[in-house]
Amino acid sequence: MSAPDDHTSPAAASSRTRPPRWWRLLGRDRGAAAAAVILALVFLVALFGRLFLGDRAVRQDLRASLRPPSLDHGFYGLLGTDVLGRSVLARLVDAAATTLSIAVPAVLCSLLIGSALGLWAGYHGGVRENVAMRVADVILSFPSLLIAVVVLYVFAPSAMNIVLILAVARIPVYLRTARAEAAELRSRLFVDAARTFGTPGSAIIRRHLLPIALPTLLTVATLDFCFVMLTESSLSFLGIGIQPPEVSWGLMVAQGRQYLRTAWWIAVLPGLAIMVTTVSATVLAAWVRLATDPGQRWRLTLPRKRRGERAAVPPEMIA
């Protein structure tokens, strides 16, 4: 008998052990893939939609007032018109750009500032950690929506003021998360080894702590994006957020609430846009948390029918 012929090459063996690419993992999860597609479409519409609209979002035509959704009046009449005859579809696209231009910068600012302060405080500990945590406690002791209402009532409501208020109010969320990650990692052996070789603290934070804490921080940022967008919509609904002639999804809901019985599409459609965007971001955040965790990523490689079976044990440990 001849010995079995082994045609397995090192490259083939390494390709079998290499973790799947993120887009392949995303394709195996239909819910997360659908959420990613929806969010991508929302961001593309927000970025490039205004280039094709012209003045249709503000163009008034009283003869076309309160037309229901229909294809009889062209593409921009697909979702109906409001009381001034403006296209609801065009205003949804314009409002998407306004809403995301507030939510995204607010989340990025709070993420960068809060994460940097949290990692710095958590790594060094002592007085610096105590001061940073007390500042975070003071900010968290006031409801963010209440702070926004008071500040915007005193100062002029504008997109810049809303971004600054929401960014400051959400900094403690990232500060506390980053501080907890850094406080747990600063006693690890690889951090002690870096200190032994004389690596400065800033380099340890940047090279060793940040890459480990980043997946958790990004997951928190994705969830916080939903909160910030809902807060902006609430402020606009209350009349102290985005002001006409600018438009946001929350402002569209506020302007259409008095026509709910006769022209439901004016308020319901922007409300659906808010709901679909926030739900998609929440679903994608849950997937990102698994995909970026080496200890949990194996769950995404299982067939859909087996993901609920023996979920606590990796497949290589199952007999």
Side-chain angles (χ1 to χ4, degrees), residues 204-219:
I204 293 177
I205 294 174
R206 186 177 64 256
R207 298 176 186 175
H208 301 291
L209 303 187
L210 179 59
I212 298 177
L214 189 59
T216 301
L217 293 172
L218 291 178
T219 304

Side-chain angles (χ1 to χ4, degrees), residues 263-282:
W264 56 266
W265 54 90
I266 302 177
V268 170
L269 293 180
L272 284 176
I274 295 172
M275 183 189 70
V276 170
T277 304
T278 53
V279 170
S280 299
T282 303

Side-chain angles (χ1 to χ4, degrees), residues 61-227:
D61 184 5
L62 296 180
R63 295 173 299 179
S65 176
L66 299 180
R67 282 179 176 173
S70 173
L71 288 173
D72 298 336
H73 307 289
F75 175 75
Y76 288 100
L78 179 64
L79 300 181
T81 59
D82 64 2
V83 67
L84 297 177
R86 296 171 297 191
S87 170
V88 173
L89 175 60
R91 290 176 66 78
L92 278 175
V93 173
D94 193 24
T98 303
T99 300
L100 294 186
S101 68
I102 292 175
V104 173
V107 170
L108 288 178
C109 290
S110 55
L111 170 64
L112 293 176
I113 297 174
S115 300
L117 291 176
L119 290 174
W120 172 79
Y123 173 75
H124 291 287
V127 176
R128 284 170 280 195
E129 183 179 12
N130 291 330
V131 170
M133 294 307 296
R134 297 297 78 76
V135 172
D137 292 339
V138 169
I139 298 177
L140 286 176
S141 63
F142 297 95
S144 56
L145 185 59
L146 179 60
I147 295 176
V149 169
V150 173
V151 174
L152 292 176
Y153 182 79
V154 175
F155 299 96
S158 65
M160 181 60 67
N161 289 339
I162 296 174
V163 170
L164 291 176
I165 293 168
L166 294 179
V168 172
R170 305 308 294 172
I171 283 176
V173 176
Y174 303 96
L175 194 155
R176 293 164 69 97
T177 303
R179 175 258 168 195
E181 292 281 341
E184 193 274 332
L185 293 172
R186 67 186 178 192
S187 59
R188 297 285 185 90
L189 291 177
F190 63 89
V191 176
D192 292 337
R195 290 198 203 98
T196 302
F197 284 101
T199 306
S202 59
I204 293 177
I205 294 174
R206 186 177 64 256
R207 298 176 186 175
H208 301 291
L209 303 187
L210 179 59
I212 298 177
L214 189 59
T216 301
L217 293 172
L218 291 178
T219 304
V220 173
T222 307
L223 294 173
D224 199 44
F225 168 79
C226 304
F227 178 85

